[in-house]
Amino acid sequence: MIQEYSRFIKHSWPILMFGMMTVFMGNFGQSFFISWFGNSFQESLGLSATSYGTAYSTATLASGLLLMWLGGSIDKVSLEKFILFCTIGLSLAALTLWQTNNITTLVIGLFLLRFFGQGLFPHTGITTMMKRFSLNRGKGLSVATTGVPLGEIILPSFAVFLIAQFGWQQSWLVIALLVPLFYLPLALFLIKRGKDKKYAEHDPRGDNQASKPIKEDGSRRTLLSDFRFWLALPTVLSSPFIVTGIFIHQGFFLPQMGWTPMLFASCFVFYGIAHWLSSMYAGSLVDRFSGRQLLKYYPIPMLMALLLASLVTGHWVAYALLISLGIAIGSGSPIINALWAEVYGTKHLGRIRALMASLAVISTSISPILFGYLIDNGISGSQLFLWLAMYVLLAMFLALFSYSNEKQLKI
C-alpha cells in the first residue's frame, strides 16, 4: 500500500496537494475549531448557552440548505473561479467575526464560516478528486481528506496560540488575511501545474468506464428517484450524525461513563490518527474493490464501539470508542464519495456531492437537538449508546439491499 501511494503521489502531486490543502482550509469552519472561540463569543456578547447553541444551529442549518443549491455550481464554472469565490467568502466570514458585536453579526459570521469552511472548501477539494481520478479515485480521496485529521491535530494548538497572542477578535483578522495571502496563490499555482498532461491519470480501460452513469444524465433527479439511494442513506449519514451528537454532548457522557475531560481530550489524538490511517487504507481498498462493495462494511467498527460503550465502563472504553469513531469517519469518506461517481458518473458530480454534503450538514444540526431531547427526558448514557448501535445495525441491514451487490455498470 505504501508503494502504491508513493507512486501515485509522485505522479499526481500538484492536484493532490491542492485537494488536501483545500480540505485543510475548510477546518476553519469545522466545529472542533470554532469551539475554541465559543466561550469568548458568549462572554463578549452576553449570551447564554441556549442562545449561543441556537445561533450556531441556525447558522449551520442555513449553510447546509444553501450548499444544496450553490454547491452544484462547481460543475459549471472553472475551478480557478470557484476557488476564488470560496476564498473571498471564507475571508469575509473571518472579517465578520472580527467585527462582531451582537448576536446578529455573530449568526451572519457563523453562517458564512460554516457555508464556506465546513461546506464549500472540502466540497471543492473532494469533488475535484472524484472528477480527476478514476483508477486511483479512492487513493485521491484519501490523500485529499487527510486535510481533516491534519487540522484536528494542528489547528487546536494554533487557535490557542492566536487567542493568547492577539485575543479572540484579532485572531479572526489573522485568519482573514491568511486565506487570500497564503492559500489562494498556492492553490492557483497547483491548479495550473496540475493541468500539465504529464500529471494526468491514464486509464487503459478507455473513456472512464468506471464512472459511466447508471442513467443517461446521472443528475440529482436520477439519484433521488433511485430507491437504492434511500436504502443507503441511513448508513451514509450515520457517522456525521452520531459523532457530532456525541462530541456536542460530551459534557453529559463524561460523568455518565466515569471519564474525565482530560482523559477524553487525550483520546482525540488517537481519534485523529485513526481517522488518518483508516482513510488512507480505505482509499486503497476502494481502488481494489469499489465503494459499492465496501459500503456495507465501513460502519462495523462504530457498531462494535457503541455496543461496547453501552455495556462496559472504564477508561479504556473511551479510547476504544474514539478510535473506532475515527476509523468509521476516516474510512467512510473515500468509500461514500467514490460510490456516487461509480454509480452516477461524473457529469453532474458537483450537484450530487453538494446534495450529500448538505444532507450531512443538516444531520449534524439535528443530532445535538435530538440527543438533547432524549437527555432532558432521562435517558442514560449507556441507553443512548445502545439505541445508536441499533440505528447503525438497521442502517447496515438496509445497505445490504442498496448498491453493494451491483456489478460494474457500463453503458
Side-chain angles (χ1 to χ4, degrees), residues 163-332:
I163 294 171
Q165 294 294 317
F166 305 105
W168 75 267
Q169 282 190 291
Q170 298 298 322
S171 296
W172 288 109
L173 177 59
V174 174
I175 295 170
L177 296 174
L178 180 68
V179 180
L181 296 181
F182 172 75
Y183 167 79
L184 183 60
L186 186 54
L188 294 176
F189 165 77
L190 292 171
I191 293 173
K192 182 178 180 180
R193 190 70 180 271
K195 291 180 178 179
D196 193 313
K197 290 184 179 180
K198 69 179 181 179
Y199 298 116
E201 180 186 58
H202 173 64
D203 189 345
R205 297 170 298 180
D207 186 23
N208 199 13
Q209 292 180 11
S211 296
K212 290 292 187 178
I214 181 176
K215 294 184 180 179
E216 187 173 346
D217 63 349
S219 64
R220 284 195 292 209
R221 183 175 58 226
T222 303
L223 178 84
L224 295 173
S225 64
D226 189 349
F227 76 95
R228 299 170 306 168
F229 164 73
W230 297 103
L231 292 175
L233 188 62
T235 294
V236 169
L237 297 180
S238 60
S239 291
F241 175 81
I242 290 173
V243 170
T244 299
I246 291 176
F247 286 176
I248 291 297
H249 289 288
Q250 61 181 270
F252 165 76
F253 288 108
L254 295 186
Q256 286 269 323
M257 301 299 293
W259 303 336
T260 65
M262 186 65 69
L263 170 71
F264 204 62
S266 67
C267 293
F268 271 86
V269 177
F270 295 91
Y271 170 82
I273 295 173
H275 185 166
W276 173 56
L277 292 178
S278 63
S279 176
M280 301 297 285
Y281 185 63
S284 180
L285 290 178
V286 166
D287 295 333
R288 188 177 307 171
F289 301 100
S290 69
R292 293 191 302 279
Q293 295 183 46
L294 296 173
L295 177 67
K296 59 183 179 240
Y297 298 114
Y298 100 86
I300 291 177
M302 182 166 55
L303 172 63
M304 301 304 294
L306 291 170
L307 286 173
L308 179 67
S310 70
L311 299 172
V312 182
T313 59
H315 289 180
W316 68 273
V317 178
Y319 289 96
L321 177 65
L322 267 292
I323 290 172
S324 299
L325 292 178
I327 293 172
I329 287 286
S331 61

Side-chain angles (χ1 to χ4, degrees), residues 53-73:
T54 301
Y56 192 81
S57 294
T58 300
T60 299
L61 182 60
S63 70
L65 294 174
L66 183 60
L67 180 63
M68 190 182 302
W69 171 65
L70 198 57
S73 300

Side-chain angles (χ1 to χ4, degrees), residues 83-103:
I83 208 63
L84 176 62
F85 170 69
C86 294
T87 299
I88 293 172
L90 187 57
S91 294
L92 182 61
L95 289 173
T96 303
L97 292 175
W98 169 47
Q99 290 295 308
T100 192
N101 54 15
N102 54 59
I103 193 169

